[in-house]
Every structure is written in C-alpha cells, then in structure tokens.
Amino acid sequence: MPNLYELTAHDAADLLRRKEVTSLELTRSVLERIAAVDDRVKSFVTVTAEKAEQQARAADEQIARGDMGLLTGVPVVIKDVLCTEGVRTTCSSRMLENFVPPYSATVVGRLFGDGAVMVGKANMDEFAMGSSTENSAFFPTHNPWALDRVPGGSSGGSAAAVAAQEGMVALGSDTGGSIRQPAGFCNVTGLKPTYGRVSRYGLVAFSSSLDQVGPMARDAEDCALTLQVIAGYDRHDGTSVEKAVPDYRQALKSDLKGLRLGVPKEYFVDGMQPEVEQSTRAAILELERLGATVEWDVSLPSTSYALAVYYIIAPSEASSNLARYDGVKYGHNVQAAESMWDAMERTRQEGFGPEVKRRIMLGAYALSAGYYDAYYLKAQKVRTLISREFDAAFSRYDALITPTSPTVPFKMGEKLSDPVQMYLSDVCTIPVNIAGLPAMSVPAGFAGGLPIGMQIIGRAFDETTILRIGHAYQQATSWHKQWPKL
Ligand code: GLN
C-alpha cells in the first residue's frame, strides 16, 4: 500500500467505503506531508490542521452511518480566493490579510456538505492576477518539480499542493487560465467549467464575466467527482445557470470512437518551445489511436486578438470590482489620516501590490469617458467575434485540442519585470474564458524533467466530453502518475 497522502480521491473514497482506512488517518497523513514539505514548496497561506481533524472525525461518523457522498472524508485544498466561514481568506493580499468571512462560498459549502475535509487555504497571485504565484503579497510558491521554478498561476498554490501530495484535490479559479496553466506546469489535471456551470457566490471577484471555479486533481476521474459536488444552479449567483448536472463519472465509461477533434493551428504560436509542440502532437496522435477522428489544420483566425481583448475586459471589470476596498467596509484600513479621501488613498496605496495597481489603472483608463468606445466597447465586439468562431468550429468538432501553455515552467524572477512576457503565458487559455467555454489541462509529457500540459476545449456545458477525452487519454498513458521527488 502506498503512503495514504499519495492516493487519488477516488481510491481514497473506495478505501473509506470499505472501512479499510478512516478519514482521520488520511487527513493526518496529508497534514504530516504538509509539515514535511511545505517549508520548501510554500503552497499554503493557512493550514487548518485543527479544523481538518474535526471535519475528519465528523466524516468518519457520516461514513459509519452509511451516508457517504463522493468526497466524504477526502482531504481537499481551497484557493484563498474562496470565502471560508471563520477561516481567514486573504486573496494573498495585504488588503485582506486579516479578513475572516462570516460565510462560506457556495462551492465550499457544497464540499463541506458532502463531507470533504479542508486542510488549508492555498497561496495565489494577489486577487488572482498573474501567471506565476510570484504576485502573492506574502511569499511565492515553488514548483515541486524544480524548486527554483514557478508553479504557474494564479492558482499556483492549489496546483503545487496537489503535485506535492499535500491534498488530494484542490479548488482553483480561472479567469484567463489560472486553473489550466498551473495544472500544466505542475503535472496535475485541472478543469475550468463553462461560465455559469459553477456558482461564483463567495468567490472574491476579479473579472466577473470571466471568473469560474473548478477542480485541480490527480486525474480526470477526480476532476469529475469534484465537479459533480460543486456544479449546479445557485440562487445566490444570478449568472449560475439552471441546467441539469449530468453524471460526470458515468460519462467516463465511453471510449473515443466517433468523436471528432479539431486542432486549431493558431494555438501553436511563434516562440512556442519545440518540445511543447512535439508532446502535444504526440498526445493528439494517441487520441487518434484511441478512436477519435482528428482534423489537423483547423483555423480560428480571431485567436490572436484574444489576449488584447482580455487585457481590456479583465482590468476594466477588476477596476470596478476592487473599488469596494475603501478601508470603510472591511479589509485593511488606515485610520491616521487627514480626511476621508486621504484615508481611502492610503488604504489602497498600502493594501494593493504593484500588479493589482497596474490593472486598476489600465481598467479605469479603458472605461473612462473618451476611451470607452475605443477600448472597452471595441473589446466587447471582438469578444463576440471570438465566440462565434468557436460556435462555428463546434458545429464540426466535438472538442478542440491545443497545448496548455507555450513553455514549460519558467525560472522564478524570469518574467517578473516584464508584465507583457508574463501575460503571454496565457495565450492558449485566455480565448476559452473570452467565449465562456469549458476546458481541461491534462499532463502530456516532460521536457528536461519539467511538465507539459495538453488542453482540451469543449462546447458550452459539455464538460462531459472533455472529461471523457481526458480520462481515455489517462487510461492509455502514465504521465499523470509521475510525481516529483521532494
Ligand atoms: N494570468 C492571467 C491574469 O493575470 C489569468 C489569471 C486568472 O485566470 N485568474 O490575469
């Protein structure tokens, strides 16, 4: 038997169901693992050991009563952008350093309702702005595969925790790639659901028309289980959609015969690392071997505008969302000030880091009178064009396959002084958010010992197909079973 902390959530759940292990044993094994490796990896802002043991005991009672859910007793990690009642929720910002929410996000409530055990809150780029987790106001997270490299971002703490076996599944959030890019960088499986599939209530808002919560895990099956628990309509989120949630695990059972896959050429961008392209193409050949039909030269010409559209829309929404941090309602506040305006200015000056300030300025500029039509409105129109292009592609293909990001994990500090280089890490993931589609990153190879991810993009609300493709691929390959030596 492997160490308990190495188990997938579905294997752990099987052992719990057969009463071969208790949740308290699983939880303690994970907490010991955190104690052993997290001073090097730094996945967590807060470790909730005491609460975890309480929840584990309660889960064991729940199992004894014969009332086991999908993730009952399984240790999970929550990105620190999701509100957790009574547990500090910082967004890795000085602004919220001491913020203890009075309520839990719907997704957190659903996990707890199912009996999952939270072991801690994961580090991230401040307010989810970044691609390396170096924008955390507290400390950067390290890639478990090479500690001098970044784990990706903004959900870098969640990805590193799963890769370093400090939790069996994690929740991340994805506005422009923040689940998929770190999943790719850390050799884990990460799914961004369709916009509206999962509630955003209690997710600290970055860009409300793009943000979506999703699972990061050891394999597609664990993503399916976690999505099953968190998905579905929530009356607290007006953008969550009232649509039946399918049985995702059932869907994993079908093979790939009859599926039509498209490979959009624009995603193999200039400057892409050759090994990333080679691994992605090899993975697509594997999908073909498994029974899918592949069309290699699909074109989505508006793809190249997606990054520009994103860096108008996301900062615009962020500048509006972040206006709430005024030092009056909650969060950091400076009281020794001359006037109300002075207090507000100094609160925001001290509370926000440089990337957050950059985004607020970009957004306020793009929305200001005289520039609104030229930037924001134009970006919204191009957004529609990008969505239509995807719609047309999905009349011919069941899914599109691309690399997750253009490179393997880069060195810490390498892109910190050049924001545009940092923004380019998300060229392959951002178009998906612009169109609100679901997509998943699955491990697809290594270059020089560093992970490479393949992205599977699906039709709106068709998470089932991408999970099925990811699962079939993982039945035939073993990239996702490789673990870093720590
Ligand atoms: N890296 C992108 C950004 O900095 C995406 C972040 C995200 O998905 N939260 O905005």
Side-chain angles (χ1 to χ4, degrees):
M1 176 118 140
N3 292 308
L4 293 179
Y5 61 76
E6 294 172 27
L7 293 169
T8 60
H10 54 88
D11 284 342
D14 287 343
L15 293 176
L16 286 166
R17 196 170 296 112
R18 295 203 301 266
K19 311 263 169 34
E20 286 174 30
V21 72
T22 65
S23 173
L24 195 58
E25 287 164 343
L26 288 176
T27 302
R28 286 191 171 149
S29 169
V30 168
L31 291 170
E32 279 163 25
R33 175 70 175 170
I34 295 172
V37 302
D38 207 53
D39 57 336
R40 283 170 286 151
V41 182
K42 308 290 274 177
S43 304
F44 291 92
V45 175
T46 308
V47 176
T48 49
E50 212 173 298
K51 185 176 168 67
E53 295 207 356
Q54 278 168 16
Q55 286 186 319
R57 287 197 181 87
D60 284 327
E61 285 167 23
Q62 190 183 332
I63 295 166
R65 286 197 305 272
D67 176 26
M68 194 172 162
L70 293 172
L71 293 175
T72 310
V74 173
V76 302
V77 175
I78 309 287
K79 184 178 182 182
D80 215 15
V81 72
L82 288 160
C83 286
T84 40
E85 182 182 345
V87 176
R88 196 166 73 113
T89 297
T90 68
C91 269
S92 290
S93 179
R94 296 271 169 233
M95 192 60 95
L96 293 176
E97 192 167 2
N98 300 307
F99 173 58
V100 179
Y103 72 108
S104 287
T106 296
V107 288
V108 171
R110 287 188 181 171
L111 281 176
F112 289 177
D114 191 64
V117 173
M118 176 174 79
V119 292
K121 303 292 298 283
N123 197 24
M124 53 186 279
D125 285 300
E126 185 176 3
F127 283 103
M129 298 173 187
S131 308
S132 69
T133 315
E134 293 166 294
N135 292 339
S136 166
F138 308 133
F139 45 79
T141 297
H142 300 258
N143 191 312
W145 290 91
L147 294 170
D148 59 343
R149 290 180 186 260
V150 305
S154 65
S155 312
S158 298
V162 174
Q165 302 173 313
E166 302 172 282
M168 290 175 185
V169 296
L171 290 187
S173 67
D174 192 311
T175 305
S178 280
I179 288 176
R180 292 158 288 155
Q181 185 256 18
F185 274 17
C186 291
N187 205 50
V188 311
T189 307
L191 170 67
K192 182 204 97 77
T194 311
Y195 185 79
R197 176 58 96 188
V198 175
S199 168
R200 290 183 299 110
Y201 181 70
L203 164 69
V204 178
F206 162 16
S207 181
S208 311
S209 76
L210 299 163
D211 298 340
Q212 192 63 194
V213 181
M216 307 173 79
R218 310 238 147 110
D219 59 19
E221 186 168 352
D222 281 359
C223 284
L225 291 182
T226 310
L227 183 62
Q228 198 78 52
V229 175
I230 64 172
Y233 174 69
D234 174 17
R235 67 184 178 86
H236 290 118
D237 173 5
T239 62
S240 80
V241 174
E242 234 172 323
K243 219 175 172 33
V245 176
D247 184 338
Y248 295 116
R249 208 180 195 183
Q250 187 62 32
L252 300 179
K253 297 198 175 119
S254 20
D255 62 23
L256 302 190
K257 295 212 177 62
L259 271 189
R260 296 159 306 164
L261 306 180
V263 184
K265 57 180 180 213
E266 288 82 4
Y267 284 73
F268 295 86
V269 294
D270 277 350
M272 177 164 280
Q273 202 174 317
E275 295 94 325
V276 172
E277 173 154 0
Q278 285 150 18
S279 292
T280 309
R281 293 194 186 277
I284 299 169
L285 286 173
E286 183 64 37
L287 297 176
E288 203 166 32
R289 205 187 57 79
L290 292 169
T293 327
V294 177
E295 183 139 341
W296 289 89
D297 247 341
V298 176
S299 179
L300 296 170
S302 303
T303 302
S304 60
Y305 301 118
L307 198 68
V309 166
Y310 177 87
Y311 278 99
I312 299 289
I313 292 176
S316 296
E317 293 182 9
S319 73
S320 163
N321 274 326
L322 271 57
R324 73 190 68 178
Y325 303 103
D326 53 9
V328 177
K329 297 188 272 294
Y330 56 90
H332 181 69
N333 73 72
V334 174
Q335 285 177 350
E338 314 242 303
S339 65
M340 180 193 78
W341 295 113
D342 184 38
M344 209 180 279
E345 221 172 278
R346 286 169 55 191
T347 294
R348 290 168 70 82
Q349 165 66 37
E350 288 175 13
F352 291 136
E355 184 61 29
V356 176
K357 288 177 183 153
R358 183 178 296 126
R359 306 276 178 116
I360 291 172
M361 286 192 286
L362 279 170
Y365 183 83
L367 290 176
S368 56
Y371 294 107
Y372 179 92
D373 289 346
Y375 295 114
Y376 186 75
L377 194 63
K378 183 63 108 350
Q380 291 291 16
K381 288 179 178 167
V382 181
R383 182 177 193 171
T384 303
L385 292 179
I386 294 171
S387 291
R388 285 192 192 143
E389 227 169 73
F390 273 118
D391 287 347
F394 283 118
S395 67
R396 277 171 292 141
Y397 310 108
D398 299 303
L400 301 170
I401 314 288
T402 78
T404 301
S405 53
T407 66
V408 296
F410 43 88
K411 285 251 168 72
M412 297 181 87
E414 192 179 315
K415 302 198 178 187
L416 214 46
S417 57
D418 187 346
V420 175
Q421 275 308 311
M422 191 72 93
Y423 297 170
L424 280 167
S425 344
D426 298 309
V427 274
C428 302
T429 49
I430 275 177
V432 173
N433 301 71
I434 297 291
L437 302 172
M440 178 160 78
S441 178
V442 296
F446 288 86
L450 298 168
I452 294 170
M454 160 172 72
Q455 177 173 239
I456 309 166
I457 308 172
R459 288 191 186 95
F461 296 100
D462 188 16
E463 286 80 7
T464 305
T465 298
I466 58 179
L467 283 164
R468 172 179 158 202
I469 296 169
H471 182 69
Y473 181 72
Q474 292 183 334
Q475 297 309 104
T477 57
S478 59
W479 306 116
H480 65 291
K481 292 188 183 148
Q482 319 246 349
W483 297 101
K485 308 224 172 350
L486 276 166

